[in-house]
Amino acid sequence: MKREKIKISTEFIKLDSFLKFSGMCETGGIAKELVQSGQVEVNGEICTMRGKKLRQGDVVCIPNAQAEAEII
């Protein structure tokens, strides 16, 4: 699976916002459901915290998609 680099212009971005901003989820509600149901991995570990702060190089995986945060 190809990993997309998602450019963000802030020091960090919250996990649920990243899922929506990156296009991995269509809505914040879908992002919330994925996170709460344990379907999201951050750096290889399941994460159930919607507000987790993602920083440079963090890798997020959901079923059928993968993205990496890149600070610009």
Side-chain angles (χ1 to χ4, degrees):
M1 178 180 334
K2 183 177 182 278
R3 178 187 307 167
E4 283 191 61
K5 290 196 178 210
I6 306 300
K7 296 180 186 318
I8 55 175
S9 59
T10 55
E11 179 185 347
F12 65 86
I13 186 170
K14 291 183 179 178
L15 177 57
D16 57 351
S17 298
F18 182 81
L19 289 169
K20 185 176 174 189
F21 178 74
S22 67
M24 295 173 82
C25 293
E26 288 184 22
T27 67
I30 293 171
K32 178 181 175 181
E33 279 184 36
L34 279 175
V35 174
Q36 288 181 334
S37 65
Q39 296 184 62
V40 179
E41 289 183 7
V42 176
N43 300 326
E45 295 185 18
I46 292 175
C47 182
T48 56
M49 298 177 355
R50 285 186 353 222
K52 176 167 180 57
K53 293 179 181 177
L54 301 177
R55 299 182 190 279
Q56 173 72 34
D58 284 341
V59 176
V60 177
C61 298
I62 62 170
N64 302 318
Q66 189 177 68
E68 179 179 341
E70 181 176 359
I71 308 296
I72 57 169

